[in-house]
Amino acid sequence: MIAFPITGIESASFLNCKKNNTLRKRKTSTAATAAKREEEEFDYVVIGSGIGGLTVAALLAYHEYSVCVLESHYEPGGCMHGFKREISGVGEFSFDTGPSFFAGLTEANALNPLASLLKVLGEEIETVKYDPLGTFHIERGVPGLRRHADLELLTNEIERFSKDGAREVASAVPEIRKMFEALSGLPTIALRTDWRMLIVIGKRYLEKLGKLGAYGNVLGKPTTSLLEFLDIKDPWVRFLCDLECFLLSGMDASGTVSAEFASVFGASDRFKHSEFPIRGAKTISDALVRAIEKRGGKIRVNAHVKNIELNEKNDQAVGVKMQKDDRIIRAKKGVISNASVWDTYEKLIPKTATNVSEKDYKKNTSIECSDSFMHAHLGIRADNLDFSHLGGHHVVVNDKSKPLDSPGNVVMISIASVWSPEMAPAGYHCIHCYTMEPFDNWKELKANDKEAYEQKKREKCNVLFTALETVIPDVRDRVVLELLASPASHEKWLRRHRGTYGAIIKAPKLFPGASVKGISRLHRVGDSVAPGVGVPAAAASGVICANTLLSLEEHFAFLDLCAER
């Protein structure tokens, strides 16, 4: 599976989007309701409804704990929410704001917990299965590489660009398959971070873990070490691996951990296809929301948290204080933050938390973050367009000689309506494309000179249209709906530090864990927590956190259900 960066948030103009009746019902805030809520208490309060927050809340609700999820945006889902826009005389377009490529949504994948989790929760989703999962436009004037899931088909594609590279990849394929088999020996749904993990391994997975021994020395290292282990030296293939890593983690092969790279290639090869959720990625977050609400859990939108509340000793999380009226929502068993590591430490943990050492504070807040993004959401006329060969997902590299994370150098394109036609009116397509862009100065420009801000936004988004012309030469003439967004939009709507894609933690360094030193009953989930960025990793963080909070009996019962289904 390749996961495009989990990005995207609508620009300010999206505020006028229609909100459905369900959301309107959730946003009731009469004086009587507010008074009642002052005395509310739940087992767990979750700050943020990204994929990590929804996953941990859904699993805890399944085990009959009372949960309340507080979301600042007007719709749950975090980066994986969607929105609609209607054009008079044309019809309604549905857009994804983030994820584009998926695998393991309906078929159990040991390293992506979503399929198993959604089955147990009774919220399976419908998907379209397809291959290749995308087209990579790397060499100008040369038909793009069709990124097949099947590694043997991919090897044949690579031969068009490098015969030596194709031979090296062909030799590595059996080893990659063995690695994935070994990695699958300990499924994500089995993981927890307390000492009880030893019991889980001892009772269920000890024999299977033995297969990891042959690869133990390389899987925790950067992907460059894995490529050396696999004897892949060809420059063109090494560049392709850098690109794959960048799409996964925001880093090239020198920073992306080998286990992630091996698991992605192994999983896609196992399934021989990718999956796209019918009606878009929002259906995943919608399924998790249903799983929470049907078990009595609460999802509240437009609910801004001011800070985490601590006990008298300032060493235990006991609830949260709301920004609007300072009312407290109590948490009997714990608070879980789906905010980023920077926002959690700098904005949510109160200054009175003196047990959080200066060393730990600096260690977490000084974690490097990636750049943000420029976005374009477009509705276009589809007449005479044929994507049967190229597919709906594309990556355009403008200059191989530049770093992949250079602003505007790599453009990601998702034409979701190729896989799910109901997302656009008949005769039209919906497009989401984006590229890296530094956050600096965008927020200030938007606040101080709106005309200059709009002009800069149009200029910076030109690279997106140029990349689109690689796939649809006359795309500018086809546009009937154009929505452009900047890093300032991303930062505002996600309430996310610098509108960043995520943490830059280069292997062999590890992402921080879910616990917060110095404050008990405070946990973290999301893409700045181990295992890291991407849909499977963020979902895994929620599963791992929930498992750690569960008893062994509850955990084993969940594993048995996953095995049955």
Side-chain angles (χ1 to χ4, degrees), residues 241-289:
C241 292
D242 277 333
L243 179 59
E244 295 266 5
C245 287
F246 175 71
L247 296 174
L248 286 168
S249 69
M251 298 177 281
D252 63 19
S254 68
T256 304
V257 67
S258 292
E260 182 177 14
F261 183 84
S263 64
V264 165
F265 269 79
S268 64
D269 179 69
R270 168 78 61 84
F271 295 120
K272 310 301 183 188
H273 59 247
S274 291
E275 293 181 88
F276 187 83
I278 294 175
R279 293 178 296 279
K282 183 178 181 294
T283 59
I284 301 173
S285 57
D286 285 348
L288 292 170
V289 167

Side-chain angles (χ1 to χ4, degrees), residues 420-548:
S420 187
E422 51 276 282
M423 294 181 69
Y428 293 85
H429 278 303
C430 58
I431 297 176
H432 177 208
C433 53
Y434 45 99
T435 191
M436 302 295 286
E437 171 69 17
F439 178 78
D440 293 336
N441 303 320
W442 276 100
K443 190 173 182 178
E444 294 77 10
L445 183 63
K446 184 176 183 179
N448 301 323
D449 191 337
K450 290 186 178 181
E451 185 176 343
Y453 168 77
E454 291 297 331
Q455 177 63 29
K456 181 179 179 181
K457 191 165 62 170
R458 287 191 294 271
E459 291 172 357
K460 287 289 185 176
C461 282
N462 186 59
V463 70
L464 301 177
F465 284 92
T466 301
L468 273 168
E469 288 171 337
T470 302
V471 183
I472 309 170
D474 61 346
V475 64
R476 296 178 199 252
D477 296 329
R478 293 175 174 270
V479 174
V480 298
L481 170 63
E482 178 183 293
L483 300 168
L484 309 180
S486 74
S489 309
H490 203 187
E491 185 263 354
K492 177 180 179 180
W493 296 113
L494 284 184
R495 293 169 70 88
R496 183 175 173 86
H497 176 74
R498 295 178 62 84
T500 180
Y501 165 38
I504 296 292
I505 300 177
K506 296 183 178 180
K509 291 183 178 180
L510 301 175
F511 275 76
S515 63
V516 175
K517 289 184 179 180
I519 305 178
S520 65
R521 296 188 179 180
L522 176 57
H523 317 277
R524 297 197 307 110
V525 295
D527 62 8
S528 54
V529 176
V533 299
V535 172
S541 75
V543 170
I544 294 167
C545 181
N547 287 345
T548 305

Side-chain angles (χ1 to χ4, degrees), residues 20 22-23 26 48-51 53-55 57-59 61 67 69 71 75-78 80-81 117-118 121 123 125 282-301:
N20 61 39
T22 303
L23 290 178
R26 287 191 191 127
S49 68
I51 191 71
L54 290 178
T55 300
L59 193 46
V67 296
V69 181
E71 170 57 48
E75 185 171 353
M80 203 158 62
H81 77 275
L117 180 63
L118 291 174
L121 295 175
E123 294 292 348
I125 62 174
K282 183 178 181 294
T283 59
I284 301 173
S285 57
D286 285 348
L288 292 170
V289 167
R290 288 194 302 271
I292 295 166
E293 292 186 328
K294 75 183 182 183
R295 294 177 173 87
K298 308 296 182 185
I299 306 277
R300 295 198 178 132
V301 296

Side-chain angles (χ1 to χ4, degrees), residues 198-206 552 556:
L198 296 175
I199 298 176
V200 175
I201 291 174
K203 286 194 172 184
R204 300 277 178 112
Y205 303 105
L206 194 58
L552 272 177
F556 280 130

